[in-house]
Amino acid sequence: MALSDVPLARVMCYLGSGQSTHAVCVGRLAREECWETDSGSSSEGQRLLSSGTERKHWRWQVAAKGQSNRSKGRRCCRAPWLRRPRRTEGCRPGLLPRMPRYLLFKNKQTGCLLARRLSGKGLQDSLFSSESDNSLYFTYSGPSNTLEVQGLSYQVDAASQVPWFEQLAQFKMPWASHKDSCELGIQNLSFKVRSGQMLAIIGSSGCGRASLLDVITGRGHGGKIKSGQIWINGQPSTPQLVRKSVAHVRQHDQLLPNLTVRETLAFVAQLRLPRTFSQAQRDKRVDDVIAELRLRQCANTRVGNTYVRGVSGGERRRVSIGVQLLWNPGILILDEPTSGLDSFTAHNLVKTLSRLAKGNRLVLISLHQPRSDIFRLFDLVLLMASGITIYLGAAQHMVQYFTAIGHPCPRYSNPADFYVDLTSIDRQSGEREVATREKARSLAALFQEKVRDFDDCLWRAEARDSGSKSLVLPRDPDHLSTPTRLPGPVQQFTTLIRRQIANDFRDLPTLLIHGAEACLMSLVIGFLYYGHGTIKLSFTDTAALLFMIGALIPFNVVLDVIAKCHSERAMLYYELEDGLYTAGPYFFAKILGELPEHCAYILIYGMPTYWLANLRPSPEAFLLHFLLVWLVVFCCRLMALCAAALLPTFHMSSFFGNALYNSFYLTGGFMISLSNLWTVPAWISNVSFLRWCFEGLMQIHFKGQTYHLVVGNLTFPIPGDKILSNMHLNSYPLYAVYFILIGISGGFVVLYYVSLKFIKQKSSQDW
C-alpha cells in the first residue's frame, strides 16, 4: 500500500531510541507539504512526503493516520482531496479518535515510503517494545518440562517468620512453640503447567503467592506441607531435582554494582556452566543471553545500585533474570518481577518473559495486580484468595468464566484489578472479614465443581475440551543421561577472587576515601610528634605514640568491613542457596581478595607516622614495625568478618564488633597496667591483639635503648629493658608475639569459616 493511499487527516509517529520512546506529531508538516501539491497528483504528494517528512522525522516505528469515520455532522479530510479538516462542534483539538493504524517502512530499491495497516495488537506490540526484534536468540534445548501440584495444603507458622532477635526484643523465647500462630497458607491447590506456557499467580496481599513459590522452590522456611505432592517432570520434587531444573529469580536484585552487565554474566558463566564448556562456548552463551534479554545497548554499562549510577531498574531486573538464564533452565520462577518498576518498563519485562516462555520454557511468575496490557500477555492465570483457588485457566477466558457465574467485568475495567478486588479479604471489621471470606470460599467451591472433570484442573471455555487428556511430553534420553559436572573448588575460588578484586577496584570513591582517611590520620599523629629533631621523646610520650599507632587505625576498619559484608550478604545467601559455589571458595576469596587494599592501606598509614615521629631509623626496626602493624590490622579485619557473618543485621554486627574492640582496647596494657587487671579482664587481655601489638612495638623501640627522665634540673638515664619489665611487656620474646598474633588471626579465620558454613547468611529483608 502506497503512502498516498493512507488518510492524512492526522499523523502520530513514535520515535524509538533504546529504552525511551518519544511521541512526535508530524501531521501538520505532512498536510502542509501535501497542500503544496494542489494539482491532485498522488505520486507528487508521495514524493514530497517521503522527501520532506522522512528526512526530518525518520526512525518511525508506528504511524496512525487519518480518520476513517467521524460521527455524523463532521467533515473529514482525506489525502486524495487534499483538504484541510474543518473543526465542528464536539471536536476538541488534540483529540485522536479511533483511526486505522499503519506501519511506515521504506522500500530500499525504489526509495518510496510505504504503509501497512496494523491490527490493534500489532500497534500495541510496536508501542511497548523496546526493540522491534521479536526473534528468539536463546531457546531451551532440553526436553519439555511439566510442573504439577496435586492437592497441596501448606501450613505457615507466622511466629517462625519473625527473626529471633525481634522475638528476644519482645521478651519471647525463640525456641518456644507457637501453635496458635499456625494457619493454612495454601488449601487443596492443584494445577499442571507445561513448557511453552507462562502462568501468572495473582491475588491480594496474604493470598498465598509467596508461600506457593517457597514450596515449589523448596525454600519454605518455617512452614510445613500438610498434604499433597509436587511433581517436576513426572518425579517427586526433591532439593536436588529443584536445583537441577528450576531457576528462581528473587524479588530484590542482588548484584555487584561496579561490574558491567557483560562482566556480571561472564563471571556467573564461569561458576555455573559445566566444566566441559570452553571459553568460546561460555562467551557465546553470554552473548546469547544478552541478545535474548535485549541488553545489547547496556552490555558495557555498570549494573549500579541505589548509590552507584548504572543501568535502569528494568535493565537491572533483566540482568537478574539473565544470571539465572545462563545455565538454560527449563523452568523459570520469578517472585514479583515488576515490583518497583514503572508501567512501561514492567510491560517490556513481562513481554520478555512471554518471549522466553515461547522458547520452550515453563515460566511461573507472581504478581499483585497487573495492568491490562500485561494481563493480556499471560497464557494462564491463577487467582488466589487466602490460600484457595478462585480461578485457574486461560487469561483470555477469565472474563468469560466470571461472567458465566454472575460476576461480569465492567466495561473499560482491568479484569485483573476487578477480580482481585472482588476476592480480597476486607479486614477493616470482623463482619466484613467473615463476609468476604465466605464469598471467597463460595467462589472457590464453585470453581472446584466446574473443573472436577479436568485432569489438569484448568477451566476451559468450551465443554468439548473437558475430556482432553494431558499431553505426553517426549523425552530425550541422551539429554538426561549426560551428567553435568560443575566447576570445582579451585575454579570457583579463582573466579570469585577475580570478581571481588574487579568490583572493589572499580569503586574509586571508596578507595580514595579510605586512602585519604589513612593518610590524614597518619599525618595528624606524625605532626603531633614532629619537631623534636635529635632529641628523643620521653618514654611516656613514646609509649602513648606506639599504642595509638596500633589502636586507632583498626577502629575504622571494623565499621568499613562490617558495612561492606552486610551489603553483599543477601547476594551471598542467594548464590549459596542456588549452588553457585560453596562456602570454602568464597571464604578464601573473601580473605585473600582484600589483601591488596589491606597492604596499600597499611603503607599509607604506617610510613608517614614512622618518619615524622622520628622513631628508630634502622631498616630492621622499620620492617618489624610495619609487619606488626600489618598483622594487627589484619586481625581486626578478620574480627569484623566474623562479626558480620555471626549476626544477621548490620546494627547487631557493628555493636558486637565495637564492644569486642573496646574490650581489647581497654585491656591492651596502656590504659591500665597488666598486673592490675583482675581475672576476667586478664583473660580478655590474653586474646587482645591490641595488647600483643603494643607489647611488640614497645620491645622493638625500647629494647636495648636508653631513655632519660628529667626531674627538675636532674636527668636520670633509664634503660628501656627496665621500662618493659615495670610495664610487664617483656613476658614473651618478640618472635613469640608474632606467633601469638598469627594464632589469634587463625582463630578468627576458623570462626569465620564456621559461621559461613553453618549459619545461613540471610539479610534482614529475607527474614
Side-chain angles (χ1 to χ4, degrees):
M1 179 179 180
L3 187 62
S4 58
D5 298 329
V6 180
L8 292 178
R10 189 176 293 260
V11 183
M12 181 68 71
C13 298
Y14 290 86
L15 283 72
S17 176
Q19 291 291 325
S20 60
T21 302
H22 309 284
V24 180
C25 182
V26 295
R28 180 177 177 84
L29 176 63
R31 284 197 299 271
E32 289 176 354
E33 294 191 355
C34 290
W35 184 263
E36 295 174 359
T37 64
D38 204 3
S39 61
S41 172
S42 61
S43 61
E44 182 69 14
Q46 176 180 336
R47 182 187 64 79
L48 287 173
L49 181 60
S50 62
S51 62
T53 309
E54 176 199 358
R55 182 174 65 250
K56 300 176 183 178
H57 299 281
W58 189 233
R59 291 185 66 194
W60 296 341
Q61 289 182 348
V62 175
K65 296 185 177 184
Q67 204 173 8
S68 59
N69 291 313
R70 290 207 180 194
S71 59
K72 293 182 179 180
R74 299 182 185 176
R75 299 181 62 185
C76 60
C77 174
R78 295 183 182 274
W81 290 275
L82 299 173
R83 294 183 302 184
R84 294 181 180 273
R86 186 178 64 184
R87 287 188 57 188
T88 58
E89 293 183 1
C91 183
R92 293 175 294 173
L95 177 64
L96 188 65
R98 300 184 65 179
M99 301 171 295
R101 286 103 171 179
Y102 295 89
L103 177 67
L104 297 183
F105 59 95
K106 184 179 181 181
N107 191 324
K108 294 183 178 179
Q109 297 179 354
T110 63
C112 296
L113 198 65
L114 305 179
R116 183 175 63 188
R117 185 163 179 164
L118 292 177
S119 62
K121 186 177 185 300
L123 176 66
Q124 179 186 352
D125 291 344
S126 300
L127 292 180
F128 289 99
S129 177
S130 59
E131 295 186 20
S132 58
D133 184 11
N134 288 323
S135 57
L136 293 171
Y137 292 89
F138 184 52
T139 58
Y140 175 67
S141 58
S144 299
N145 292 272
T146 58
L147 175 63
E148 185 175 1
V149 176
Q150 297 179 351
L152 179 65
S153 294
Y154 179 70
Q155 188 178 33
V156 179
D157 186 2
S160 64
Q161 307 296 329
V162 181
W164 59 267
F165 49 88
E166 291 188 6
Q167 295 185 27
L168 289 177
Q170 299 172 4
F171 301 101
K172 297 179 181 179
M173 295 296 103
W175 54 84
S177 61
H178 305 278
K179 297 182 179 180
D180 298 337
S181 62
C182 296
E183 59 181 12
L184 283 177
I186 301 174
Q187 302 179 34
N188 194 24
L189 174 63
S190 299
F191 65 84
K192 189 174 184 178
V193 194
R194 301 176 177 87
S195 292
Q197 295 177 328
M198 180 168 64
L199 171 63
I201 307 170
I202 63 175
S204 59
S205 300
C207 67
R209 290 177 286 115
S211 299
L212 177 59
L213 296 188
D214 288 341
V215 176
I216 293 175
T217 56
R219 297 174 175 89
H221 308 296
K224 180 181 180 182
I225 297 178
K226 302 294 291 184
S227 62
Q229 186 76 37
I230 298 175
W231 299 80
I232 299 177
N233 300 330
Q235 303 178 21
S237 177
T238 60
Q240 294 76 16
L241 183 60
V242 169
R243 183 172 292 183
K244 178 182 177 182
S245 306
V246 179
H248 184 200
V249 181
R250 279 78 170 184
Q251 180 177 356
H252 303 283
D253 301 319
Q254 298 298 337
L255 304 167
L256 292 177
N258 296 301
L259 299 180
T260 64
V261 172
R262 185 179 298 277
E263 289 172 340
T264 300
L265 298 177
F267 281 124
V268 176
Q270 295 289 337
L271 293 169
R272 196 65 177 84
L273 295 181
R275 63 176 67 181
T276 55
F277 271 49
S278 64
Q279 186 60 41
Q281 290 176 309
R282 297 177 193 273
D283 295 339
K284 184 179 183 303
R285 177 66 61 87
V286 171
D287 292 336
D288 291 342
V289 171
I290 289 175
E292 183 63 46
L293 296 176
R294 308 306 191 257
L295 293 170
R296 290 179 179 135
Q297 72 278 6
C298 61
N300 298 317
T301 306
R302 291 190 185 188
V303 174
N305 57 13
T306 307
Y307 309 102
V308 179
R309 184 179 178 86
V311 298
S312 65
E315 291 168 340
R316 191 176 300 116
R317 191 63 49 87
R318 280 187 278 169
V319 174
S320 298
I321 297 173
V323 167
Q324 298 295 335
L325 199 63
L326 273 171
W327 59 280
N328 202 10
I331 301 175
L332 189 62
I333 297 179
L334 303 99
D335 185 8
E336 297 195 20
T338 60
S339 62
L341 303 180
D342 61 89
S343 57
F344 178 79
T345 306
H347 183 277
N348 277 335
L349 179 64
V350 177
K351 191 173 181 181
T352 299
L353 297 177
S354 178
R355 187 171 60 247
L356 292 177
K358 290 181 177 63
N360 196 29
R361 292 185 182 87
L362 192 159
V363 179
L364 182 67
I365 64 175
S366 69
L367 296 171
H368 185 60
Q369 281 181 279
R371 69 184 213 179
S372 57
D373 53 354
I374 293 178
F375 181 78
R376 285 194 291 268
L377 295 173
F378 300 147
D379 298 316
L380 303 174
V381 171
L382 170 59
L383 175 60
M384 300 180 67
S386 295
I388 55 180
T389 305
I390 305 297
Y391 173 79
L392 176 59
Q396 59 182 349
H397 297 155
M398 186 175 181
V399 176
Q400 182 179 350
Y401 167 78
F402 279 100
T403 302
I405 63 175
H407 297 282
C409 179
R411 194 176 183 183
Y412 307 120
S413 294
N414 180 11
D417 289 337
F418 178 75
Y419 291 120
V420 167
D421 293 341
L422 177 69
T423 58
S424 297
I425 307 301
D426 190 352
R427 295 180 173 86
Q428 294 184 3
S429 64
E431 295 79 5
R432 289 185 179 182
E433 183 175 357
V434 172
T436 51
R437 284 188 183 276
E438 186 61 31
K439 181 174 67 173
R441 291 193 185 98
S442 62
L443 291 174
L446 183 59
F447 176 78
Q448 294 295 334
E449 180 67 23
K450 288 184 175 293
V451 299
R452 184 174 53 187
D453 298 330
F454 294 87
D455 56 347
D456 53 4
C457 299
L458 299 179
W459 186 82
R460 293 174 174 81
E462 299 180 6
R464 55 185 170 88
D465 293 338
S466 61
S468 62
K469 296 182 180 180
S470 59
L471 180 65
V472 178
L473 299 172
R475 293 299 180 94
D476 185 3
D478 296 334
H479 181 84
L480 295 176
S481 60
T482 55
T484 57
R485 297 182 60 192
L486 296 179
V490 176
Q491 186 174 351
Q492 291 177 3
F493 163 73
T494 56
T495 303
L496 288 173
I497 194 171
R498 286 191 297 111
R499 185 178 74 168
Q500 178 176 340
I501 292 176
N503 181 72
D504 291 346
F505 281 85
R506 293 273 181 83
D507 192 6
L508 291 180
T510 302
L511 293 177
L512 291 176
I513 289 174
H514 288 172
E517 178 186 55
C519 183
L520 181 62
M521 292 193 65
S522 176
L523 293 176
V524 168
I525 297 174
F527 280 116
L528 182 65
Y529 289 88
Y530 179 74
H532 295 275
T534 57
I535 303 175
K536 281 188 176 182
L537 294 171
S538 65
F539 72 88
T540 55
D541 292 340
T542 305
L545 170 64
L546 297 178
F547 186 76
M548 280 194 299
I549 289 175
L552 284 185
I553 198 63
F555 181 76
N556 300 323
V557 174
V558 173
L559 293 181
D560 291 337
V561 173
I562 291 176
K564 183 179 178 182
C565 288
H566 275 279
S567 66
E568 301 173 356
R569 189 182 176 106
M571 185 190 70
L572 171 63
Y573 174 65
Y574 292 159
E575 291 180 344
L576 288 175
E577 199 174 40
D578 291 337
L580 207 61
Y581 47 81
T582 57
Y586 177 83
F587 160 77
F588 287 106
K590 185 66 177 176
I591 292 178
L592 299 180
E594 293 190 354
L595 288 182
E597 180 184 356
H598 172 71
C599 294
Y601 193 77
I602 299 304
L603 279 174
I604 296 174
Y605 172 72
M607 293 186 64
T609 302
Y610 192 90
W611 301 111
L612 288 174
N614 196 23
L615 295 175
R616 289 184 61 184
S618 64
E620 180 183 358
F622 173 75
L623 291 177
L624 292 174
H625 176 99
F626 177 81
L627 180 59
L628 203 57
V629 175
W630 190 96
L631 278 174
V632 71
V633 178
F634 186 66
C635 281
C636 188
R637 189 177 292 272
L638 292 174
M639 183 194 72
L641 290 174
C642 294
L646 278 171
L647 299 171
T649 65
F650 169 73
H651 299 289
M652 296 179 67
S653 297
S654 59
F655 171 78
F656 177 75
N658 287 333
L660 196 59
Y661 181 84
N662 287 332
S663 63
F664 291 163
Y665 182 89
L666 294 175
T667 58
F670 179 78
M671 308 300 294
I672 184 174
S673 177
L674 295 177
S675 60
N676 295 329
L677 295 175
W678 60 286
T679 306
V680 175
W683 292 344
I684 298 175
S685 177
N686 290 331
V687 294
S688 171
F689 48 82
L690 297 180
R691 173 259 174 101
W692 296 109
C693 176
F694 180 53
E695 182 168 338
L697 291 176
M698 289 289 289
Q699 290 189 23
I700 293 172
H701 294 282
F702 276 77
K703 202 165 189 179
Q705 302 294 314
T706 302
Y707 285 83
H708 297 83
L709 177 63
V710 179
V711 180
N713 295 326
L714 301 177
T715 301
F716 301 96
I718 302 177
D721 295 337
K722 188 67 174 178
I723 297 174
L724 294 176
S725 299
N726 290 334
M727 297 181 67
H728 299 87
L729 295 177
N730 61 347
S731 55
Y732 294 91
L734 183 59
Y735 70 88
V737 171
Y738 286 96
F739 283 114
I740 291 173
L741 284 175
I742 293 174
I744 294 174
S745 302
F748 283 129
V749 165
V750 173
L751 183 59
Y752 179 51
Y753 178 77
V754 171
S755 302
L756 289 177
K757 186 72 174 178
F758 298 103
I759 298 178
K760 291 185 176 181
Q761 300 299 305
K762 282 187 176 182
S763 63
S764 57
Q765 65 187 13
D766 294 318
W767 283 95

